Amino acid sequence: MQYFRNIAIAIDQLFNSFLRGSPDETLSSRAYRLYKNNKYWYSAYPYYGITMLFFWQNNHCKGAYKSEIERKHLPYEFWE
């Protein structure tokens, strides 16, 4: 199951890279970061869109952002 989760995260990061984002950040994390910083007037649209897409998860984008900050996507070998 972890294998498929890793593939999904990799595809997510690839799409984020295509959209001129960081190659190590997911779209959900980026959407929350832009929404939180309120840098652009349109920054809320991706956040709310992804939130509606993952309606069964409580605050998906915030969780993705927190995972990025805590570096939970790294293999255990890289944890200190």
Side-chain angles (χ1 to χ4, degrees):
M1 197 61 168
Q2 184 64 36
Y3 172 78
F4 294 110
R5 184 173 182 269
N6 291 342
I7 296 297
I9 290 170
I11 292 169
D12 193 356
Q13 290 174 337
L14 178 66
F15 279 118
N16 188 45
S17 297
F18 281 137
L19 297 172
R20 297 182 179 202
S22 170
D24 195 34
E25 185 178 30
T26 62
L27 284 170
S28 300
S29 173
R30 181 180 178 191
Y32 180 76
R33 182 174 49 81
L34 292 175
Y35 172 75
K36 185 180 85 159
N37 294 339
N38 199 14
K39 199 169 190 178
Y40 306 106
W41 65 270
Y42 54 84
S43 61
Y45 293 124
Y47 171 75
Y48 287 121
I50 293 171
T51 298
M52 287 189 328
L53 187 64
F54 290 93
F55 61 89
W56 66 90
Q57 294 182 355
N58 188 17
N59 212 343
H60 169 80
C61 292
K62 185 176 183 178
Y65 177 77
K66 188 175 178 183
S67 292
E68 292 285 350
I69 295 298
E70 294 174 356
R71 303 176 63 84
K72 288 188 176 180
H73 297 148
L74 286 175
Y76 293 115
E77 293 84 19
F78 291 105
W79 289 15
E80 292 183 20

